[in-house]
Amino acid sequence: MHELDRLNERQREAVSAADGPVLVVAGAGSGKTRVLTTRIAWLLAEGGVHPGEILAFTFTNKAAREMKDRVNTLVGEARAPHWVGTFHATGVKILRRDGGAVGVQPGFTIYDTDDSKRLLKKVLADVNVDPKQFPVSKVRSQISSWKNEDVSPEQALAEAEFWEEPPAKAFAAYEKTMQASNALDFDDLILKTVHLLEEHQDVRLRYADRFRHVLVDEFQDTNSLQLILIKALSAVHGNVFAVGDDDQSIYSWRGARVENMLDFESYFAGAGVVRLEQNYRSTGNILDAANAVIAHNKRRKGKNLWTAGEAGDKLRVEMLGDEQDEASRVVDIVREECGKGLRRGDVTVLYRTNAQSRALEDALRRSSLPYKVVGSTAFYERREVRDVLAYLKLIHNPADGVAALRVLNVPKRRIGDTSAGRLVELADREEITLGEAAQRHGLLEQEMGGAALQRIRDFFAMVSAWRAAAAECTVPELLERVLREIGYGEWLEQDDAETAAARTENVAELVNSAYEYHEQSDGGTLAQYLEQVALVADADTIPDDEGVVRLMTVHAAKGLEFPIVVIVGVEEELMPHASNLDDEAATEEERRLFYVALTRAERRLHLLHVRMRRRFGQREMALPSRFLGEIPAALAERVGEEIRTAARGVDSLFGDGRTGFGGRAAPGRTAMNGSTQRMVTRPVRDSWDDVVSQEEIVFRVGQTVAHPYLGQGVVARVEGTGADLKLSIDFPEGVRKHFLARLAKLTPLD
């Protein structure tokens, strides 16, 4: 196969590996997509495999499209596999065909994050859970965690601690409503598929026998259920080809388990391992810095990236005064790079948290430099787009109560919350859809005025007419008819004249998407269009604009590459984040996140940190990230680092790249009175410009302390000594928080 001639030795080894489980540890920029697609082409050309016998999993629709396009180029569209897509899209295909066996009807609606939150808001009210004490977003996150751990509502309620009981009750009501609405959320698409394959051996064997080869992209991002799905679908032939990079596993907060990759050989006996270490993206200095940083992690498969290209420029590490200076420096960097012949679009600014973009945006606007904040409000999350899609969802699925309630009074129809609430109460009581409840003569008349009831009935009659028309017209024709008949454009103007133009453009773009879908799918159905829209991820909408500076979080940048990368806020409590300082596994993930940021850069890399940063309205001293100290001195040009820091007890801000942040901090005092009382040395300021002295504070179990934002609490646990002293503090209402004592702003009160 001539395609093998274009690969390096390790890539060829991976592509032509014999049958059986294979793990490809693919470093950043090592050509993993090329290996994965060439493997598919090799199986078709050399392995005698039929296209329908190949199943390939990706994590984004963009990656799936790229894989399909590359395979089409290699083997021709007629020979391309049929089952290439995300885990969620594959789950949808299986459930549409066989989901009835586990109570999933073929016409189900897919609820995205916003749909789920809207439903949960109603559910929390129904089960008398205070949304202030249990916010919708947190309850949804807890339900998602339960689902990803395959915990049923009954099990969640039975095993719940007292503080988990309200979310567990909401979980049960949420699932009951979802079933009544014939709807599945994103977690269900995989969970229900796993249940189907586990509970029905005939279905499992049929799919497992069909798929002779199962290929998985970004294996380090799989969660427990996805691993079960992979094992179930490869159970007959045992051919799993997994590609990933454990050093880029950064999604544990949404259930990803790096252990799936670290323990691959345990899950798939007899697995072969191939390492791709030659990098085709970054310069040598960038790779050497990334290798040095990630080597500090203990839990990893291990590899060392290298390039046959040039060493390139050194990394530039700069200390600035505050976030305003940092933002101004970003403006200067953009102008400097443009002066070297590059474009604004070649510069991308990365940060740990979305909130950091504000100062950057202000500076770029003042300097008249166009920019794009990637992922801030994705297209399909915009209110007007969601309104129009809700109409289409209701047309497709009459049981979709969330969609119905969203647009019942959009545009305004003088249907108030009270009337809508009574309609919902009747539908819940009779266990029917909202549309059916509206037609129940003799019941609603007793609870609302005749005019309001008629407006509700007119609304559902209009939806029914569209539903009948949907069978005869195309998706874009249906969409345009709905917009015309509800007068949505006119209402946007009436609703907010200042934003009407931009919102109208968004609606027009949605119509464009419907036409594109119609052309690409050769007349696909409304259900298929809604399915495609529901499965779109933020990574699929990242723009390719050449003339704008991109701003994005490091998480959003994963899988991308840019000529020039500026990483801002490379400080303790930001990178690594304050929430992940007290746990070794969490700190290692923070280091992996920094590694991902470093390896996005192709040519030059700027690392910025500040002396002071404003938090909660107050200026506070900021310490350089420990990760900066892990970059060997020979690889970086450091600017503005002549200022010493007493807080760390070291003579310079950076060490030699071997001992972390400037060597070890000065040792703390030894324990007093066993493990219940310890002393910490902490910097004291007499101005915001300098640290002038240090103070010693004794903490003990049972001591009352004050936190500037959380109020008074009681020390429950004291662990470690000196710079590593950790405290667990109990605050009112059963809230326990954990702090690193030298960074926490705790004041002893007794």
Side-chain angles (χ1 to χ4, degrees), residues 248-266:
Q248 296 188 70
S249 180
I250 58 174
Y251 294 118
S252 65
W253 48 273
R254 69 183 189 194
R257 297 181 72 254
V258 68
E259 293 81 8
N260 288 357
M261 186 163 178
L262 297 177
D263 300 330
F264 185 87
E265 295 94 326
S266 299

Side-chain angles (χ1 to χ4, degrees), residues 413-434:
R413 299 184 177 90
R414 291 184 295 155
I415 301 174
D417 292 341
T418 301
S419 297
R422 288 170 178 167
L423 180 68
V424 170
E425 290 174 5
L426 175 60
D428 288 348
R429 186 169 65 246
E430 299 294 322
E431 296 185 346
I432 56 179
T433 69
L434 295 180

Side-chain angles (χ1 to χ4, degrees), residues 29-171:
S30 63
K32 72 174 181 63
T33 304
R34 173 180 247 183
V35 166
L36 201 55
T37 54
T38 308
R39 171 68 172 181
I40 294 174
W42 188 86
L43 290 172
L44 295 170
E46 306 293 334
V49 180
H50 186 273
E53 297 175 322
I54 292 176
L55 170 63
F57 285 117
T58 67
F59 271 85
T60 67
N61 293 301
K62 183 178 181 180
R65 288 194 299 270
E66 182 179 356
M67 189 179 297
K68 289 176 182 178
D69 291 343
R70 290 197 185 192
V71 173
N72 289 348
T73 301
L74 292 174
V75 302
E77 190 170 348
R79 288 280 292 158
H82 315 310
W83 289 72
V84 177
T86 65
F87 282 92
H88 296 98
T90 301
V92 169
K93 291 174 73 171
I94 293 174
L95 292 173
R96 293 283 190 212
R97 299 182 183 189
D98 298 287
V102 287
V104 177
Q105 302 307 312
F108 62 83
T109 295
I110 301 171
Y111 276 12
D112 60 15
T113 301
D114 189 74
D115 295 326
S116 297
K117 286 182 177 180
R118 283 175 172 269
L119 177 56
L120 270 175
K121 185 176 181 180
K122 173 184 177 299
V123 164
L124 291 176
D126 290 344
V127 297
N128 297 316
V129 173
D130 183 0
K132 293 182 179 179
Q133 188 175 5
F134 296 93
V136 170
S137 58
K138 290 189 176 181
V139 174
R140 181 185 174 277
S141 178
Q142 179 61 66
I143 291 175
S144 179
S145 296
W146 276 323
K147 288 190 175 186
N148 283 315
E149 295 167 6
D150 198 7
V151 175
S152 68
E154 296 76 18
Q155 184 180 353
L157 193 56
E159 298 176 357
E161 302 287 347
F162 75 94
W163 56 271
E164 289 181 315
E165 288 181 2
K169 291 179 181 177
F171 184 19

Side-chain angles (χ1 to χ4, degrees), residues 682 699 704-707 745-749:
R682 198 165 64 182
F699 290 103
T704 302
V705 296
H707 187 278
K745 298 164 184 62
L746 297 169
T747 303
L749 299 180

